[in-house]
Structure formats: C-alpha cells, structure tokens
Amino acid sequence: MSIQGLGTQYGRAGRPLRVTVNHIELKKYSEAGIFQYDVDIQPENGQFKKLPEAQFMRSVFDQCMRIHRSSRLGGVHLVYDARKIAVAPKRVCGSTETLRLEVAYTENGRASKFVVQIREAAVIDTSVLTRFIHGDSSTDIADIQPALNALDLAFGSVAHQDMVGFGRSFFTRAQSLPIAGGLELWRGFSLSVRPGIERLFLNVNTAVTVFYTPGQLLETLSSALNVRKAEDLRGKTGRDDIREMGAYLRGLVLFLRHRGISGKRKFTVKGITSTALDRESFEWEDPANPGHAETITVAEYYRRRYNISLKYPFLPGLVGRRNAIFPIELCEVAENQHYRGSLNDRQTAEMVRFACQGPSDNRNRISDALRQLNFAGSPVISSFGLSLASDMAQVESRVLPAPTVTYGRGSRQPSLSPANGAWNMRDKCVSSPGVPLEHWAVLVLARRSELPDSRVQSFITTLVNTCNQTGYQIKSTRPPIMYGNLSGDISREMRRACDAIRLPPGKAPQLLLVVLQSTNSHVYQTVKNCAYTRLGIQTQCMQSKHMQRPNPQYCANLCLKINTKLGGTNQSLTPSHLQKLLRSKPTLFLGCDVTHPGPGEVNKPSIASVVGSTDFMGLRYSATLIQLPSRQELVGKLQEAIVRHLKLFYKHTKAKPHHILFYRDGVSETQFAQVRDRELIEIQRACSSIEADYKPQITFLAVLKRHNTRFFPMPRDADRSGNCVPGTVIDRSITMPSLFDFYLFSHAAIQGTSRPTHYFVLHNDPKFTADEIQMLTYHLCFTYAICTRSVSLVPPVYYAHRVADRARCHLVDMGVGFEEATSTSSGYYGGPGTTTSRATEDPNRATKIIKTHELLDESMYFM
C-alpha cells in the first residue's frame, strides 16, 4: 500500500519567518533516463573469493575509465559505486551486449591485470522524479529511489576524486584531530539528492567520523591499550586483553614489511592468536633441509627464515589469509581506514567537542565544501544534465506559541509560559507527589576514606530538604548507609543494603540510592540488572563527586527522578488546553523504537521498546521490552504489547481510549509503507481482541531524528546560540510532496547546530489539521518528566529511547548474543565461527517479551 493518501497539509498558526536550509536547488536535471550497468571486476586469471575493499575497486575502475573512456566508451562518463553498479547518462554498449575491458593497475609497486565487464541492467526513469515532486499520487518514495541513488552517485563521484567516501559521506584528513586509542577524527560532509515541493534539492551537511591512525601498528596498539611504550604491552597479554586486541584489529588492513618480501605486502586481519609468538607453533619444512618437517614457534621461524629476532615475542600474532600468522611489530596500518567500533567515554567526549559547531560555522563549512567541489565546473555533472543554484535555499517557517506549564499546590508560581524552551524549579512544587519515601537505603560503591559517613549524611540532608520543599515527601531522613566492595559481587552488596532497611510486615524496599565512583557502564548495568530482574527495587544512581559538595540544584534534579519513579508527576499542561488539542477524547499515547546492535555486533539481538501512557494527561507511562531477531525492523509481538498498554490505561483511568496516538521511531523513509501497514494492523487487532467492536481512532506518526537537514535563521530571529528558537516548524518547500510531514524545533540547543525532528503523519483517523498535530506534538515536548526544558523529541519516543537503552541492563548475564570473540575451532581470537559460550540455540532469533520484575513492571523505572 502506498503512503501517499493523506496529502500535503500546511499549518497557519504561529509567527512567520524565513530561514535558510542546507539544500541547494537543482535548477536542471535530465528526464531522458539514466542507464544502470552491472559491473564485474576480476583478476585476468582467476576470480576474487571475496570482493576487495571499495577503495581498491574504485581505483581499478577509475584506471579503466582513464584508458578506455574515449576509445571504447564514446567519451561517456560512468560513475561507479565501488561494488557492482555503475550509471551513465548515455548507453555505452548494446542492451544485450557485455563490454569487456582490460586494465593494468599498480598498487604498492606490484602490477596486476584485471578484466572489467559491463552489462546493461536497467534504464532508470528520471521523469518519475518530476511526477513525484508535483504530487502525483500514483508515485511513491520507493518509485523514485533508483533515480535518487543514481544522482547521488553522480554528485558523489566528484567528491571521490579528492576525498575518502563511505556511502553518501566523504572525508578528508586535512584538519584531522588525533584522539586516544590510536584513532583520529576527520571532517567531511554528506551529499544526497532530496525531493521537495515541485523541486529537487541537493542536501549538503557537515560530518565527522573516526579513522585509524596510519603508521606503525605497535604505536597504534599501544595507544589503543593505553600504555606509554610497546614494552609495556607485556602486561597486556591476559585473556581479556587479547580479546580486546582482537576486537580492535579485526578487519584492519595492514602492510607487512620484512626481508624476503619485495615492496609492501597487504593483508586483512582475520583474528589474533590466543598465545604469544614464542609459544605459538606449527609444522615447518626448512627449504635448506627439504623433506624434513619440524615443530617450530613463530618467533623461531622469523629468526631462521628471515634472520629477524623479534623484539616483542611475548605478543600474540595476527592471523591473515589462509591462517598465516604475522608479528605485530612488522606491520603498518594502511591509510584511509574507517573505524567502525564503539568509542569509550573519553573518545566520545573528544568527538563531541570536535564535531560541535555553531550554526554560522556549520553554514560556512557547507559553503566552503560547495566551492571546493565546484559542481558547475565538473564534466561529470554536466554530462548528466545537472545544474545547481548558486546558494542555499530559503524557506518559510513559523514559530508556534509555547504552552502554559502548570505545577502543584504550594507553588508560588503555579503556572508559567516558558521563554526559549526553558524554566526552573525555583519556588515550585511537583504537580502530584509520588508515594512518600520511607523505606530506602544508600549504597556507596566508593572508598569510605574518600566519602565518609558524615559527608554522605550531609548530602542526604540536603536531598531530603530539597525534596520536601519541592513537594515530594521523604519521611525517613536518616536511611541506612552501606559501603560496598566495587570489585566484589555487586548484586550481593545491593541485597545487603536492602536487608539493612527496617521494613514493616508486607512492605518492600522503595528505593536504593547507589553512589558510583565513576561512569563505568558495566557497574551501572549490573546495578540496574539486579534491580530490574531480581530485587524489584527502584534505584537512583549518582556519581560520588556530587556528594562532596551538596548542590540544591542537583538535588532538585534527583527529586524529579525519584518522584517520577515512585508514581508522581512533576509538571503538566493545562488540562483544558490538552483536551482541546485532543478534541476531548481519552487518548492513549504510545511511543515505539527499535534499536539495533552496533557495527560488528553480529550476535546481539535487536530490541523494540513500547511505552504507553496510563493517565489522561500523558504524564505517566509503563514500558514493554521486546527482543527481536538481530537487525529486524518490524516489531514482533506488537499486538501483545498494545493489549497490555490498553489494559493498563483502563486500569488506571477506568476508561477505554477513544483515540490512540502512536509515535514510531527507528523507521527509514523507504520503510514507511511496510511498517505503517503491518503495525497499524497489529494495533487494530489488539483493540478487537479486547472487544470485537472496539475500534478507537488511530493516529500514526513516524519520527526521524537522524537526518541531515539543518536550518539557519536570520541573525535577528535566532536564539542566543544562533539557532532556530523552540517552536519553529517548517512544512513547506523542502518537505515531501503529497505527504503530511513537518520539521519541528521543540528545544533550545545547548551547543552546536540544532537538529529538528522530522515527523510524518502516516495515518490520521481523526483528520487532525496540520496546526493541531504540530501544536500537540510541540506542547507535549514540555511534559518530559525529569527536565525543566522542552525536549527535542516528543516524550513517548524519548521514553522509548530510554527503555531501549536500559534493555542492555536487562540482558546482562543472560547469555543473549554477547559476542565472546573466541573460537575453539579456529584457534585464534576473532576468527570465523565465533560463538557465545552459553545456550545451544541462538537466542537472538527468538522474538519474546523481556520481563521486568513485577514490583517495577507498571512504573517509570527507566527514568
């Protein structure tokens, strides 16, 4: 089913403004069609067992084009995706003909011959772009994707001439920044052609990514393992250290240089040996003594075969093609290698600082990139019939009014209209207090010498006073303070702290305040896992540094979290205003997100999180976690989850929802129709399974945060950071033709260039107008429970994000898809056949609801 049915809708509410967008209009493009070709590149004698890296394939293809373009291709420009596809503005061979081209290519002093075969695969209709941007309801996003991909290839081919490209993003080492871990940050930009209203645009945005630092591998590895010199790696040869090395090096392309090999020999790391080179042995036949095989260590082999005495034989070896083993000290990291692993906290902070650019800097970098690329002077771009405007486009926007935010009794200022999306808790009380806190304890996972009892109690006193002043009551002002062993069994320490709470019969502990010495994610996940799955107790974690000098503002933030976890609400919209936006219909707010494993994490499941409101105001939520097969986008067991949330809404409100408002994150534009059709049916089935004739109205919105569209306001209209002010909405010119979509700035940027959220209304039973759905979505962003700011995502989706993030805590110690990176069958770390050590059946192929402890199941434990 197409998603084109709702039609473009424009809002009128708000103050009109013009903003600049990082889109450059395509003034001209050809409708004559683009020819798509299958490309097969193989060695002259033989075949590739595995397709080489993209950079190599592109180099061979470009060399072929330089040799044969004028003679065999009639001067036609082909642009290549470095895998299997090329496109051209004209036909280069007969529709049934295979063009066979030979080329010699030299890399690192070694010459090889290749055969490039080109065969026509399709003729891409570019006129469909014109029909789509003019609102032809018979065309869909999927119909224009081949043409957009072809144009992206054409523009990207210009960037590839001087930059390193991955997909639609291109980077240069100029102005790079070395960071910890043998890595460096590169700047670049992304290019993609986007449809707008009656126009096509080229979207250009700045980008930052991570590369391995080229050079001696020993230096890179020393940096990665945080040692000062290579000799210190002697203390990094334990099982966990070697596993860490294997994860860091796997897939890395290295050069090998030593006597007996001419030039540079290149290989890709498959894994790392489980033992040191002076103990790793194999059968070897000495060329000087043919017919006689002997067992020899790798270190001894290099001494006898190449007269090389290894300086670091205590290190493991690198496993390459055919399980050949190479010493780390003889290897160099090749240039231009993208790092796809995860970053630690320090590296992430460095990347954020490097990437953070204000709007004016961001805009200038985009302009500089366009000048550098000089599309107007490119023969490739002109051959495809493409022409760009000289400047970024300007579009109409509107600034929606902020809502009135209300607080509880006892507030000196019970209601306010926030300016610039922010306010504070001064002289305010929470809207509704949660259950008073009586049965709680403090667990300090830090040294008593660094954080003595008196300092902990001083902080508790400040926290208690702040909470009581804010309207949330803490009755027990001197809870038990327990010190735990950070390197011991944290679950046992948590139980010990809970046992110290004096409980009346039939009562359970309410809260454990856990003081952590650092932001160690493993400790945090272990604490949450024990709370969520075994103890069934609310936990509030904090860093020990905040206890040193009690800060009332920090305590107020903790109060908001504790009150939310124990059943309270902190702020709300005016009930009459919200009911007007909802047309006085009891509404179940739902948020859904699907998160996938990181790059290289092939054995981990995907996780879907669904949150649903349990009150009329959309302030209280419960959560459902669903484990999905790895990288599955559609949410299995959604019907079961929706039934649960419908029942919980009825349990707490004594009313059935007349309207369901479903915000769905984690979906790309090409998946809209598939996800909407499947999940809309799941919601409808959930309703009918409760009562056959129960058919509430449904509004279904897709939410996109990861996009490359940025807006730059005029200086007089900007906030203090130079960004668009909260409430700015754009629903014209650069939005999708025939679709009901809009960009919304619902937050004030703290740093960098603000990114709006892109909302698509995919189903609209109540027939909300653009003004109604935009205003409702914006005003909901002021109700996020633990923040005195309007947030960038509508709260149901924000909560779904938090639940998905907490999912990794549920999965700790469950044996669910955590890659062990060892293999007994391969004999080295990180080789093929890596498995988990637990569970004979792959648990990541199962779709199942992940249970939370029954004492937490209906609470906002995830805040």
Side-chain angles (χ1 to χ4, degrees), residues 747-811:
H747 69 299
I750 297 174
Q751 60 181 357
T753 302
S754 184
R755 174 169 50 186
T757 301
H758 196 178
Y759 295 91
F760 291 80
V761 183
L762 304 183
H763 189 81
N764 187 12
D765 280 339
K767 294 182 170 49
F768 279 126
T769 65
D771 282 334
E772 287 176 316
I773 198 69
Q774 290 167 8
M775 196 79 77
L776 174 60
T777 300
Y778 175 45
H779 287 186
L780 286 175
C781 293
F782 287 76
T783 65
Y784 185 64
I786 58 172
C787 197
T788 55
R789 306 178 68 90
S790 56
V791 290
S792 61
L793 274 172
V794 69
V797 171
Y798 211 140
Y799 295 145
H801 278 316
R802 290 186 69 96
V803 173
D805 185 58
R806 297 296 186 273
R808 69 188 72 178
C809 304
H810 285 265
L811 300 179

Side-chain angles (χ1 to χ4, degrees), residues 12 36 204 274 423 435 441 529 556 682 684 701 707:
R12 297 179 180 277
Q36 180 175 314
V204 185
S274 54
W423 62 100
V435 178
N529 172 261
E682 293 287 297
Q684 292 167 338
L701 286 90
H707 59 79

